[in-house]
């Protein structure tokens, strides 16, 4: 994988996984209620599920591209269109609201975090869009697929750690500066679209 492609993938992964989503909001509310240590099994489950889903997305897309070689040129535009839509949704996302978060009796488990990734359509779509946009056009190889999966999972895990560690402190800060944060994330995604289509 070329270094320029890798950096574009990292920017995409950070922009899509650092923002509020099911995993980050769940960890924010869970660690705010139970503390970091008690929620660590949930985090490990999320991370294990993430790497598994990214590997499935990567090797699944690679297999489809082998069966239908002409799909690559179309997949690039589909991936770019989806990322452009994500950029718009990120820019227009309102401030969060934790007042409606359901309080659990006890922290969720490793299994809960793992299975959540297979039910999280956002993660599946992010994985497919990223692979079709960054790996498929540059040549499918087993190492590139592993780099893709590890990069996506590592960026997501870093975002999870930030939200979980800061816990309830991050939520008011995000709410206060959400327009700036969303704008930066949207610009990163737009830059990714440019790299996919024109570089």
């Amino acid at each position: 994988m070329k270094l320029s492609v890798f950096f574009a993938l990292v920017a995409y992964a950070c922009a899509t996984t650092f923002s509020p989503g099911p995993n980050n909001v769940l960890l924010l509310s869970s660690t705010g209620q139970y503390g970091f240590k008690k929620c660590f099994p949930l985090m490990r489950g999320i991370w294990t599920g993430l790497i598994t889903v990214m590997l499935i997305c990567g090797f699944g897309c690679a297999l489809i591209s082998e069966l239908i070689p002409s799909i690559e040129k179309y997949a690039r535009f589909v991936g770019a269109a989806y990322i452009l839509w994500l950029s718009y949704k990120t820019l227009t996302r309102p401030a969060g609201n934790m007042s409606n978060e359901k309080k659990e009796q006890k922290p969720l488990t490793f299994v809960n975090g793992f299975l959540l990734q297979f039910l999280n359509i956002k993660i599946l779509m992010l994985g497919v869009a990223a692979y079709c946009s960054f790996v498929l056009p540059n040549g499918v190889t087993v190492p590139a697929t592993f780099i893709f999966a590890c990069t996506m999972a590592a960026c997501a895990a870093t975002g999870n750690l930030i939200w979980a560690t800061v816990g309830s402190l991050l939520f008011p800060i995000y709410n206060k500066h959400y327009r700036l944060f969303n704008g930066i994330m949207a610009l990163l995604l737009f830059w990714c679209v440019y790299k996919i289509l024109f570089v």
Side-chain angles (χ1 to χ4, degrees), residues 21-168:
N23 291 334
N24 290 338
V25 171
L26 175 63
L27 288 171
L28 177 71
S29 59
S30 295
T31 55
Q33 186 175 357
Y34 301 108
F36 187 93
K37 188 175 180 181
K38 287 186 178 179
C39 294
F40 195 63
L42 171 63
M43 275 185 272
R44 286 195 342 262
I46 288 172
W47 299 340
T48 306
L50 275 168
I51 190 79
T52 305
V53 166
M54 289 302 121
L55 285 169
I56 291 170
C57 288
F59 285 112
C61 289
L63 179 62
I64 290 171
S65 74
E66 286 292 319
L67 297 174
I68 312 169
S70 61
I71 201 170
E72 181 271 319
K73 59 184 176 183
Y74 301 109
R76 177 190 299 226
F77 289 103
V78 171
Y82 179 70
I83 295 169
L84 198 59
W85 179 79
L86 279 177
S87 176
Y88 168 74
K89 294 300 284 182
T90 299
L91 187 63
T92 58
R93 180 187 294 125
N97 182 4
M98 282 186 61
S99 60
N100 295 326
E101 289 292 321
K102 183 181 177 182
K103 297 288 185 182
E104 299 289 337
Q105 295 295 324
K106 58 184 180 179
L108 295 174
T109 65
F110 175 92
V111 173
N112 296 134
F114 182 81
L115 293 178
L116 172 64
Q117 306 319 299
F118 293 89
L119 302 173
N120 188 346
I121 299 301
K122 177 189 173 187
I123 290 295
L124 293 168
M125 291 301 295
L126 291 177
V128 169
Y131 194 86
C132 290
S133 301
F134 298 104
V135 182
L136 207 55
N138 296 288
V140 176
T141 64
V142 171
T145 302
F146 275 108
I147 290 169
F148 154 78
C150 292
T151 300
M152 290 294 292
C155 291
T158 303
N160 294 161
L161 274 174
I162 291 168
W163 283 78
T165 302
V166 178
S168 59

